[in-house]
Amino acid sequence: MRQTPFTRITIIAAVEQFASVGSRADFDKSLMRLDVDQRIPLGDARSVSAKWPLLAQEILRDPSRVISTPDGPMSIGEAAVRLAVAATQQLQATTEKDRFLRALGLDGYVVTFDENPPHRPLLRASLPAELALPAVDDEVHQLLKTFRVQVAAAHLDQAIDAHTRGDWAAANAQIRTYLESLFTDIAHQLRPQEAAEAKSFENIRQLLGEIGFFSKERNEWTPKGDGYINGLFKMLHTEGSHPGLSDEERSTFRLHVVLVTSRTFLRRLALGKQGLPH
């Protein structure tokens, strides 16, 4: 079965986007195209604003369910996203459009427009498909749940929510706090006594390096402070205001890097604590 390449937040934003553009009749056509008109009645008295959350809920029951479309079989989640892309206008300026495009960006996609009239919108991957960012996000959340890392998970969710709202400063702060919280929780799971005695997050990083959770051989951590983890936190602690798209690009980059990084170390934790030196 073809899996949907889009996260829950993107699918919700997609439904809200195409629901905000057309008429009630246009929305009913979307219900038919998505093969949900038997579950959500056409032409009833409810407004589009009242019905689009029902459609989003219906899609999210099984976003990978394959339906037939003019472009061939695809998941209902992807079909909803493509409807939203088709409804996106180049000069359109709305909250729904901005929210949808930011959510797409987190999944590694952008909307571009044909150079020639009528400037048809096109969905393009902005990152290599091998990164599979929605799958990374899902795996990270599952691993956080497995290890009961609730505080870190809450910070990650707040970072994603802030990014979707376009609040870059809040997103950046939560991204940094998420990773600090995650590594602190991992240290407490691996070495509870030493972690409890740590007086700073720098001590936590040093502890994880000394016990081998951060690999010196792979230059993940070094006592000199020039390893990957050291450099990552130096980047996450940079501040400063940058106008327009720069903020979005920097915040999105940080979130992508931290998601991939945290998955790597959560997987390492899942492989077994017994492999670490005591």
Side-chain angles (χ1 to χ4, degrees):
M1 178 180 293
R2 181 176 177 177
Q3 299 294 310
T4 178
F6 303 103
T7 53
R8 172 188 177 90
I9 199 167
T10 300
I11 292 172
I12 294 172
V15 177
E16 186 179 18
Q17 160 62 2
F18 68 70
S20 70
V21 174
S23 64
R24 185 180 299 184
D26 292 328
F27 186 76
D28 282 349
K29 291 176 184 177
S30 298
L31 296 179
M32 297 180 68
R33 292 189 179 104
L34 294 171
D35 192 26
V36 295
D37 50 299
Q38 298 301 314
R39 299 176 181 85
I40 303 175
L42 305 177
D44 63 7
R46 285 176 293 183
S47 66
V48 172
S49 61
K51 292 172 69 172
W52 80 255
L54 300 177
L55 173 58
Q57 183 180 50
E58 183 61 38
I59 294 170
L60 291 170
R61 292 183 193 277
D62 184 8
S64 296
R65 178 171 69 90
V66 175
I67 63 173
S68 297
T69 77
D71 297 318
M74 68 178 66
S75 70
I76 189 173
E78 181 175 348
V81 167
R82 292 188 178 277
L83 282 177
V85 170
T88 300
Q89 301 172 20
Q90 189 170 19
L91 300 179
Q92 180 187 43
T94 66
T95 300
E96 292 82 5
K97 175 189 174 183
D98 290 345
R99 187 181 294 120
F100 173 55
L101 295 183
R102 286 196 293 266
L104 275 179
L106 286 178
D107 286 356
Y109 288 84
V110 295
V111 174
T112 62
F113 296 87
D114 277 342
E115 293 184 4
N116 300 319
H119 305 298
R120 184 168 61 94
L122 304 169
L123 183 65
R124 294 281 185 263
S126 60
L127 294 169
E130 289 79 5
L131 286 181
L133 285 168
V136 173
D137 176 80
D138 182 66
E139 184 178 355
V140 166
H141 275 87
Q142 289 298 322
L143 288 167
L144 290 172
K145 184 177 180 180
T146 297
F147 291 113
R148 299 180 180 178
V149 189
Q150 297 171 338
V151 174
H155 286 302
L156 177 57
D157 288 340
Q158 289 173 31
I160 293 173
D161 181 66
H163 187 285
T164 303
R165 297 194 313 270
D167 189 344
W168 315 124
N172 292 341
Q174 290 295 335
I175 290 166
R176 182 175 64 243
T177 304
Y178 157 67
L179 202 58
E180 289 179 352
S181 179
L182 173 62
F183 286 146
T184 299
D185 278 338
I186 289 175
H188 277 276
Q189 291 195 34
L190 297 177
R191 294 290 192 274
Q193 182 175 343
E194 294 97 317
E197 294 171 355
K199 297 181 180 180
S200 68
F201 180 64
E202 179 60 37
N203 295 143
I204 291 292
R205 281 189 290 175
Q206 184 175 354
L207 172 62
L208 292 174
E210 289 174 349
I211 68 175
F213 186 76
F214 295 153
S215 171
K216 295 180 183 179
E217 291 75 14
R218 298 172 183 170
N219 289 317
E220 292 174 354
W221 178 87
T222 70
K224 296 180 180 179
D226 55 0
Y228 172 72
I229 294 297
N230 309 88
L232 176 60
F233 275 96
K234 288 178 182 177
M235 183 270 287
L236 293 178
H237 275 274
T238 55
E239 301 294 343
S241 177
H242 301 272
L245 190 58
S246 174
D247 266 346
E248 181 172 357
E249 289 179 343
R250 286 163 59 88
S251 185
T252 302
F253 171 73
R254 291 180 184 205
L255 187 52
H256 287 165
V257 169
V258 166
L259 277 172
V260 173
T261 298
S262 59
R263 180 181 67 170
T264 296
F265 289 106
L266 283 165
R267 281 180 171 181
R268 186 172 299 174
L269 187 64
L271 286 174
K273 303 171 188 177
Q274 68 277 9
L276 297 170
H278 292 276

